[in-house]
Amino acid sequence: MQYQDLNGYSCELSFEKNRFSIESKHVLVICCYKGDWVLTRHNKRGLEFPGGKVEVGERLQDAAKREVYEETGAHVKGLEWLAEYVVYTEQPFCKTVFVGLVDQIDAIPLLETKGIILLKELKLTEEFSFLMKDDGMATIIEKVKLLGKWND
């Protein structure tokens, strides 16, 4: 699927592994805790799914678990690959999307975000990050709903 993000960049989304030649060095994690969507409140952008950059020598799955924990205090289990997308900026990058279940949430001091937000329903309002509002994210969210892990 091809679409344009809200920054005006051309993007390509695939639910097929190894579809892109660009190595993924970013992760996005869509997870559930007792039927609730797990989000974080980014200090500048607003509500969004946890995610970030893969550190040198780190596996994608390990980066996904680390980013969720650092941004929310949540422990992810049952992590599954869902999709990848490429954003064709001046230096194109690929992001891998995972889904998972949270089994425990720790109260930790958070530096990158304002912490965990649990939502029964995803109704995108002005408090959501622009990253949550493009056609690619809408397609990813619909695919996740089809997996049946959320009570939305």
Side-chain angles (χ1 to χ4, degrees):
M1 168 189 174
Q2 294 186 343
Y3 63 98
Q4 192 170 40
D5 71 12
L6 297 179
N7 284 325
Y9 292 111
S10 177
C11 302
E12 192 172 356
L13 168 67
S14 178
F15 294 99
E16 175 187 331
K17 274 191 177 181
N18 303 315
R19 167 76 173 76
F20 304 112
S21 59
I22 299 171
E23 180 184 358
S24 180
K25 294 184 180 179
H26 297 80
V27 294
L28 178 72
V29 187
I30 303 173
C31 43
C32 172
Y33 179 67
K34 297 182 179 179
D36 290 349
W37 296 87
V38 175
L39 293 102
T40 189
R41 186 180 305 275
H42 186 274
N43 292 327
K44 294 180 182 171
R45 294 188 299 258
L47 295 178
E48 59 190 27
F49 294 122
K53 294 180 182 175
V54 177
E55 295 177 356
V56 176
E58 189 175 40
R59 294 178 335 131
L60 287 170
Q61 294 86 347
D62 294 332
K65 290 177 182 179
R66 176 185 52 75
E67 286 289 348
V68 170
Y69 187 77
E70 287 177 357
E71 294 183 1
T72 68
H75 296 267
V76 179
K77 66 176 183 175
L79 200 61
E80 299 173 21
W81 186 97
L82 177 71
E84 285 185 340
Y85 63 94
V86 174
V87 180
Y88 294 101
T89 61
E90 293 79 22
Q91 292 188 323
F93 65 91
C94 182
K95 188 175 282 196
T96 301
V97 182
F98 291 97
V99 293
L101 298 173
V102 169
D103 63 348
Q104 177 183 334
I105 300 172
D106 295 343
I108 62 169
L110 302 165
L111 303 174
E112 297 178 4
T113 71
K114 293 182 180 175
I116 192 167
I117 305 292
L118 300 173
L119 296 177
K120 286 276 180 225
E121 296 181 47
L122 270 185
K123 294 192 188 231
L124 302 180
T125 63
E126 66 281 345
E127 67 179 319
F128 278 81
S129 166
F130 73 94
L131 298 171
M132 298 288 291
K133 297 177 181 176
D134 64 33
D135 291 341
M137 187 60 69
T139 302
I140 289 168
I141 290 169
E142 285 307 309
K143 182 81 165 183
V144 170
K145 287 179 179 180
L146 290 174
L147 294 175
K149 293 182 180 181
W150 282 258
N151 297 328
D152 199 286

